[in-house]
Amino acid sequence: MFWTSYFLAVLALVLAWPVPVLLSRAAWPARAPFTAMVLWQAIALAGGLSMIGAMLVYGLEPIGDNLIAGLRALAGMVLHNEPTTALGFWHLFALSAAALLSAHLVFTLLLTYVKIERQRRRHRELLALLASPSGDGPGTVVINHDSPVAYCLPGGARSVTVLSDGLMARLEPAELRAVLIHENAHLSQRHDLLLWAFAAWRQALPWFPTTRYAQLAVNSLIEMLADDVALRSESKATLIKAIALVAGGSTGSASARPALASPGQAGSDSAFGGTGSFSGAGGADSPRTTASRVSRLLSPEPPLRPAYRTLVLAASALLLAAPTALLVVPGLLG
């Protein structure tokens, strides 16, 4: 149990600092956005599991040879009101910290979801009053504003893509189609779930470098994934021009933008206009994301080799399997 807790603690530290820093500086994620997204999710899940698991295993060490045996012994103490003298101060502290951290993460995840749903509901109510249906397809509405605005509001069957008059006036039909395909890709691939999870993770642990690097990376990667979908039916030149026109028209002050697309609104995803994102920090990082997208399209790198993609996916699976096996397997074998 001691060596298991030690290994999990080291793994948690590695995933909390050097790994996300190195990955955030790497150039290859732009060549394989989906693979990089899987790796970021594995880092987040494995890091959280290792952190909680290390404290839990250390806390249960005096009363069990493995996690399952220790949990059974602890449950017996609690249910039968037995003394906990077998557990020292630091063991009780570790168990309390593991319980509090787990509750904090779950509570923050649920609280973030509730906030998102509340803001989406208010947003839909405003759209019902201020927006009009668009002729560009079902689930698309138009708001009356001169600034170029394009974003999607997820919600299953109630999902909607919002465009502005200013956007439609600036873009040619092919460019507008690229924008719509891009936004629909966000909806069909459920990028809002990824943004929700990583935003909640950052709110729960804002002092961990992993959470900041991961959220910024995920915000950028989902845009690249949506761009790749748009490129299947529209030319690269069309997509680049659409991004440039909309980004160029969105450089005004925040007060000039419509309230429906204010920076920091939760639940909507801004792809072309820099009008706000799922995370509160999204507005400040949109120029960087736009620059990386345009650079990726103007100077495309060859896709990551299949062997490298397989290696990264295998490493992601190993990251998740290692702490899980250390926590569960000894108890099952015992």
Side-chain angles (χ1 to χ4, degrees):
M1 290 275 278
F2 172 77
W3 290 110
T4 299
S5 63
Y6 179 80
F7 177 82
L8 290 173
V10 171
L11 181 60
L13 289 174
V14 170
L15 295 178
W17 176 250
V19 169
V21 170
L22 292 174
L23 182 58
S24 66
R25 296 174 179 174
W28 69 263
R31 299 166 58 191
F34 176 80
T35 305
M37 184 78 74
V38 172
L39 181 57
W40 274 113
Q41 293 178 73
I43 291 172
L45 291 173
L49 184 61
S50 299
M51 189 189 317
I52 296 172
M55 294 185 290
L56 194 59
V57 169
Y58 174 77
L60 296 172
E61 181 185 359
I63 57 175
D65 295 332
N66 54 68
L67 178 63
I68 296 178
L71 288 174
R72 287 174 179 170
L74 182 63
M77 291 180 179
V78 174
L79 294 176
H80 299 97
N81 199 24
E82 297 176 359
T84 58
T85 52
L87 297 171
F89 170 79
W90 290 110
H91 296 286
L92 288 173
F93 178 82
L95 289 174
S96 301
L100 288 174
L101 180 58
S102 300
H104 177 60
L105 291 174
V106 173
F107 177 77
T108 304
L109 187 67
L110 295 176
L111 181 62
T112 304
Y113 177 79
V114 171
K115 288 181 178 179
I116 291 171
E117 285 301 309
R118 185 184 300 123
Q119 293 188 14
R120 285 179 182 172
R121 183 172 61 253
R122 294 173 181 171
H123 200 111
R124 290 190 185 92
E125 291 173 355
L126 288 174
L127 287 175
L129 296 173
L130 303 177
S132 56
S134 169
D136 295 292
T140 305
V141 298
V142 179
I143 56 176
N144 183 18
H145 201 276
D146 293 335
S147 295
V149 176
Y151 64 92
C152 54
L153 188 65
R158 299 175 298 168
S159 297
V160 62
T161 298
V162 182
L163 308 174
S164 69
D165 289 338
L167 176 85
M168 302 179 73
R170 280 175 171 84
L171 302 184
E172 298 294 331
E175 297 157 2
L176 184 59
R177 283 197 304 270
V179 172
L180 289 172
I181 295 171
H182 179 108
E183 295 300 334
N184 289 331
H186 285 310
L187 295 174
S188 62
Q189 296 182 8
R190 296 310 307 265
H191 292 162
D192 57 298
L193 297 180
L194 290 170
L195 294 175
W196 160 49
F198 280 93
W201 191 33
R202 184 174 182 181
Q203 289 184 22
L205 304 171
W207 56 87
F208 271 26
T210 313
T211 62
R212 176 177 176 272
Y213 288 121
Q215 188 180 35
L216 295 179
V218 167
N219 288 344
S220 181
L221 289 171
I222 64 170
E223 299 302 334
M224 294 179 185
L225 288 170
D227 283 343
D228 290 343
V229 174
L231 288 175
R232 295 174 188 172
S233 55
E234 301 298 332
S235 69
K236 186 179 300 183
T238 297
L239 182 58
I240 292 173
K241 187 177 178 182
I243 296 173
L245 286 173
V246 178
S250 300
T251 55
S253 64
S255 60
R257 298 171 187 161
L260 279 172
S262 59
Q265 71 179 11
S268 70
D269 173 72
S270 165
F272 282 83
T275 54
S277 68
F278 179 89
S279 68
D285 295 307
S286 337
R288 182 188 305 175
T289 300
T290 301
S292 64
R293 291 169 60 198
V294 173
S295 175
R296 177 175 181 259
L297 293 171
L298 287 174
S299 304
E301 296 287 338
L304 200 64
R305 294 180 180 178
Y308 291 156
R309 290 201 302 269
T310 302
L311 184 62
V312 173
L313 293 175
S316 303
L318 183 61
L319 276 179
L320 291 175
T324 304
L326 287 172
L327 291 170
V328 177
V329 172
L332 295 177
L333 295 178

